[in-house]
């Protein structure tokens, strides 16, 4: 077998990602307020087996050990999110100092370990108090978000290397249109209003960051994390092509457009008619702030067909896998070339701005031995295949600067609960014992050599 070593550019940022609700636990401790995900998970029937993030990985109490583990694995960067209702229990107004202190201790522990802090301000867990004031469909939410962001910039702006405003705002909006994500409102008009407030909130937060408070601009960079999957029309006909365009515009264009180009996708807005969000004078300028990087979460390739019964967008989606690669424990396809295809499509829109893979990973039915060790060769192969495609994308001129595996450790996979395991590190939930899997050891080697073997 011939071996080809693909060496990444110097300084390529290797990391792993998590989010607050999925790992922290301590949902009502030290003054934390309730979030929409606390409320959703506590509601009967919303999450598989009635599981919740009440305890999750107990990271709130085990943070020091978790950072030590990251150091042991050799991570150069760690992407985490900040729970808004831990910092501002009511969403606006009084700061909960104990909550804010937790993030300060985390950022300082990362600093001591030599790991770059990559903080996401909104990973879906809106304070429930703000949901009761209308949530994201209320455009005031943009201002509440910017005020909350400012609290974090003021306290941690001298130590955080990278900030992301939102994680996958597409999914936050789905929480209004559908039932699978909090708050699960099933209200299509609310979904599209939420999209616009999310864009405005992003713009206001970036603007606040640049204004830089009393101490002038902060040290770090700011951007946003979007879920950018690969979409292909099922057939060659016009109907499938247009259905595919609607799917891409709904999932991606409504964010990429305003944020990178200062406009919404026109054909989709026409299609939506009265459901299209109200855009006021000055809004698009606000959304269209210069950002420092684009974060891309990537998981799968969809084949899109026109479907008369396909809901508002009249489409249906099926997963695509490269032959022989099967599907993940969540039924998602595995199609390595998709990650490069998206980079090649989105790269030009980003006009050379640095791009990071802020999430990519696979859920597997891991089985551990008696010691807790998992020999997850499938996950190693998954990551290896993705990294090869990323290396090819860099060779073709894409300004890709880093890769964050999702996730550092097994955690609460939203409405699917604890069953799908994404981690490099196994978590035995009853004992909270952490055991690095084969993939963690392998990934450490990739980081150490800054290279992957093809
Ligand atoms: C990411 O979500 C999250 O950022 C992370 O918290 C999560 O744990 C991880 O990935 C793994 O799931 O486009 O309408 O068909 C990705 C979750 C999966 C949510 C696909 C939306 C498709 C909805 N996304 N899902 S749609």
């Amino acid at each position: 077998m011939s071996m080809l070593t693909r060496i990444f550019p110097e300084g390529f940022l290797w990391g792993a990602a998590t989010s607050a609700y999925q790992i922290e636990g301590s949902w009502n401790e030290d003054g934390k307020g309730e979030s929409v995900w606390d409320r959703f998970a506590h509601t009967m029937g919303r999450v598989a087996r009635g599981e919740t993030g009440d305890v999750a990985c107990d990271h709130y109490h085990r943070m020091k050990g978790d950072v030590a583990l990251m150091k042991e694995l050799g991570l150069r960067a760690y992407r985490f999110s900040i729970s808004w209702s831990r910092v501002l229990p009511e969403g606006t107004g009084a700061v909960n100092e104990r909550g804010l202190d937790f993030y300060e201790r985390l950022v300082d522990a990362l600093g001591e370990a030599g790991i770059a802090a990559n903080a996401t301000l909104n990973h879906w867990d809106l304070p429930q108090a703000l949901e009761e004031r209308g949530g994201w469909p209320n455009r005031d939410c943009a201002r509440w978000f910017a005020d909350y962001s400012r609290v974090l910039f003021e306290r941690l702006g001298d130590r955080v290397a990278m900030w992301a405003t939102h994680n996958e705002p597409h999914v936050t909006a789905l929480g209004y249109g559908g039932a699978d994500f909090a708050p699960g409102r099933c209200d299509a008009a609310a979904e599209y209003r939420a999209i616009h407030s999310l864009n405005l909130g992003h713009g206001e937060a970036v603007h606040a960051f640049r204004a830089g408070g009393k101490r002038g601009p902060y040290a770090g960079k700011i951007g946003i994390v979007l879920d950018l999957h690969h979409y292909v029309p099922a057939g060659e006909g016009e109907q499938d092509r247009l259905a595919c365009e609607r799917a891409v515009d709904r999932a991606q264009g409504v964010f990429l457009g305003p944020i990178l180009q200062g406009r919404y996708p026109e054909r989709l807005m026409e299609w939506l008619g009265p459901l299209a969000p109200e855009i006021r004078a000055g809004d698009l300028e606000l959304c269209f702030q210069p950002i420092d990087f684009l974060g891309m979460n990537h998981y799968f390739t969809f084949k899109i067909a026109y479907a008369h019964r396909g809901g508002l967008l009249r489409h249906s989606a099926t997963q695509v896998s490269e032959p022989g690669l099967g599907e993940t424990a969540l039924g998602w396809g595995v199609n390595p070339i998709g990650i490069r295809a998206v980079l090649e499509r989105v790269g030009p829109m980003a006009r050379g701005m640095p791009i990071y893979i802020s999430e990519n990973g696979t859920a597997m039915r891991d089985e551990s031995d008696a010691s807790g060790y998992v020999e997850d060769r499938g996950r190693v192969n998954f990551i290896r295949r993705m990294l090869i495609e990323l290396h090819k994308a860099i060779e073709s001129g894409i300004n890709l600067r880093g890769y964050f595996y999702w996730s550092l450790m097994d955690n609460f996979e939203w409405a699917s609960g604890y069953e799908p395991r994404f981690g490099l590190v196994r978590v035995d939930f009853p004992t909270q014992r952490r055991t690095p899997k084969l993939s963690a050891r392998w990934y450490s080697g990739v980081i150490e050599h800054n290279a992957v073997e093809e």
Side-chain angles (χ1 to χ4, degrees):
M1 198 172 79
S2 74
M3 283 278 229
L4 171 64
T5 304
R6 293 185 171 268
I7 302 170
F8 282 76
E10 209 183 303
F12 192 80
L13 196 60
W14 296 102
T18 64
S19 90
Y21 187 69
Q22 295 177 272
I23 65 164
E24 287 178 2
S26 303
W27 76 281
N28 62 356
E29 208 171 311
D30 286 349
K32 179 181 167 297
E34 189 187 12
S35 79
V36 293
W37 266 94
D38 293 316
R39 178 66 61 96
F40 190 79
H42 291 155
T43 305
M44 178 77 145
R46 295 300 207 176
V47 175
R49 298 166 297 276
E51 292 170 348
T52 72
D54 291 3
V55 178
C57 304
D58 194 31
H59 172 73
Y60 188 71
H61 297 120
R62 291 164 198 267
M63 179 272 284
K64 279 261 153 72
D66 289 339
V67 173
L69 187 54
M70 295 175 213
K71 187 176 177 185
E72 196 186 304
L73 296 178
L75 298 189
R76 304 281 195 257
Y78 172 53
R79 175 170 176 250
F80 60 95
S81 83
I82 293 168
S83 157
W84 185 342
S85 65
R86 203 181 280 293
V87 175
L88 296 171
E90 295 299 313
T92 57
V95 171
N96 174 34
E97 291 297 336
R98 286 176 297 172
L100 189 50
D101 282 352
F102 169 73
Y103 296 107
E104 182 155 46
R105 281 187 276 116
L106 168 61
V107 168
D108 286 343
L110 291 169
E112 276 164 37
I115 299 169
N118 176 348
T120 296
L121 291 158
N122 165 31
H123 199 121
W124 312 350
D125 48 355
L126 184 75
Q128 180 64 29
L130 297 183
E131 179 58 19
E132 273 145 37
R133 292 163 73 183
W136 283 108
N138 177 352
R139 61 181 275 144
D140 291 345
C141 206
R143 188 174 26 94
W144 303 330
F145 177 67
D147 290 345
Y148 149 69
S149 301
R150 214 174 275 115
V151 171
L152 275 307
F153 299 152
E154 286 286 320
R155 178 67 75 92
L156 302 176
D158 56 341
R159 284 160 281 175
V160 168
M162 295 169 75
W163 296 93
T165 53
H166 306 303
N167 174 74
E168 304 194 353
H170 165 54
V171 175
T172 303
L174 286 179
Y176 290 94
D180 297 338
F181 297 91
R185 266 203 224 171
C186 299
D187 173 349
E191 172 176 334
Y192 289 94
R193 288 203 307 277
I195 286 171
H196 191 50
S197 319
L198 284 157
N199 283 325
L200 291 171
H202 161 82
E204 280 206 38
V206 172
H207 184 80
F209 184 79
R210 303 282 183 223
K214 293 176 220 81
R215 281 161 298 182
Y218 300 115
K221 309 272 189 209
I222 193 163
I224 188 167
V225 169
L226 302 177
D227 43 331
L228 302 175
H229 307 301
H230 184 40
Y231 289 73
V232 288
E236 265 150 36
E238 174 91 346
Q239 283 207 319
D240 285 353
R241 196 178 53 73
L242 288 173
C244 188
E245 181 188 281
R246 286 194 293 280
V248 175
D249 281 345
R250 163 60 192 86
Q252 307 181 1
V254 294
F255 302 107
L256 286 170
I259 290 165
L260 297 182
Q261 299 165 323
R263 58 178 168 75
Y264 276 97
E266 269 162 41
R267 249 201 298 260
L268 180 68
M269 291 301 119
E270 273 169 41
W271 179 276
L272 292 172
L275 290 179
E278 181 205 345
I279 296 158
R280 300 188 190 159
D283 282 3
L284 291 171
E285 289 72 14
L286 183 56
C287 303
F288 187 25
Q289 300 281 323
I291 54 174
D292 302 313
F293 68 89
L294 177 66
M296 161 171 157
N297 292 356
H298 179 86
Y299 289 97
F300 40 65
T301 298
F302 276 136
K303 193 184 279 181
I304 303 288
Y306 173 85
H308 185 63
R309 293 174 186 279
L312 183 63
L313 301 182
R314 295 271 188 275
H315 76 307
S316 67
T318 46
Q319 291 281 346
V320 176
S321 272
E322 180 184 302
L325 292 187
E327 56 178 37
T328 78
L330 281 167
W332 299 357
V334 180
N335 188 41
I337 60 165
I339 201 166
R340 177 152 57 97
V342 179
L343 283 166
E344 284 168 359
R345 177 168 55 81
V346 171
M349 288 187 198
R351 290 181 305 275
M353 148 190 335
I355 299 177
Y356 291 84
I357 300 299
S358 36
E359 283 180 31
N360 171 244
T362 181
M364 292 185 55
R365 291 180 195 83
D366 289 334
E367 278 177 35
S368 64
D369 67 16
S371 72
Y373 180 68
V374 180
E375 204 170 86
D376 55 345
R377 294 191 186 279
R379 182 172 286 107
V380 169
N381 197 45
F382 176 98
I383 306 174
R384 196 176 57 81
R385 290 295 312 277
M386 294 294 168
L387 295 182
I388 292 167
E389 292 304 322
L390 294 178
H391 190 266
K392 290 181 190 164
I394 294 169
E395 282 177 333
S396 78
I398 302 290
N399 191 8
L400 183 72
R401 298 289 187 87
Y403 176 84
F404 291 75
Y405 179 77
W406 180 273
S407 177
L408 172 67
M409 56 187 159
D410 296 338
N411 58 45
F412 177 78
E413 177 53 25
W414 307 109
S416 305
Y418 293 96
E419 201 173 78
R421 291 177 177 268
F422 274 93
L424 294 170
V425 174
R426 172 153 180 111
V427 177
D428 176 57
F429 292 102
T431 61
Q432 292 294 347
R433 197 167 42 140
R434 277 88 161 122
T435 310
K437 303 175 191 174
L438 174 67
S439 56
R441 300 296 174 210
W442 176 84
Y443 190 51
S444 294
V446 169
I447 298 173
E448 193 188 336
H449 298 109
N450 195 36
V452 67
E453 303 280 351
E454 180 159 354

